[in-house]
Amino acid sequence: MARTWLSVRVDLVSGRGDDFWPRPGRVFAAAPSHTFGQLAQAIDAAFARWDLAHMHMFTLADGTGVTSLDQWDGDAPDGSIDSRATKLNRLALGEQFAYVFDFGDDWAHLCTVGEQKIDPFDTAGFKPDAPTAYWGWGAMPDQYGRGWDGDDGESPQPKRPSRPLADLPPILPWWGPTRR
């Protein structure tokens, strides 16, 4: 396969009022025929978002907003274009743009198109059907800032048990009340 795909680096800059440093990130293989909506879905999955009922917007370097227009009920920002229909082929090599997910918590990302096109087989090992993360670094913060199941934002973190694997079923040799 020829080098016809884009490599898009996505760095998580901020969210929930926090600026991240070092910034966690992922790099995606994406065909020019994929849409911005598909890239948004891939970013949200790679950045561990599980409540996807929030809106998103890409802001291109020229200020153009790319968003899911049907979610705005006719009130989309002037000049915005539909992320479900707009293809990534409008991006240039080396171009930078922003992606924001959830306008309340403002998960803001810097996106950078690689300087060279890639072959998805050489880079990712296969030809994905949609934009796909193939490299990454950093820990992903929880979408709502929760540190454990049942975190209400006020209770202290549960104390680590002296044998933290003892409560697990003995499916693996090192799990369970007694190690085999």
Side-chain angles (χ1 to χ4, degrees), residues 94-105:
E95 184 172 348
Q96 291 188 304
F97 56 101
Y99 174 65
V100 175
F101 170 80
D102 184 349
F103 300 145
D105 286 336

Side-chain angles (χ1 to χ4, degrees), residues 6-10 26-30 39 91 97 111-114:
L6 302 173
S7 178
V8 181
R9 176 184 170 132
V10 179
R26 301 292 183 259
V27 182
F28 297 83
L39 181 59
L91 296 171
F97 56 101
C111 305
T112 306
V113 180

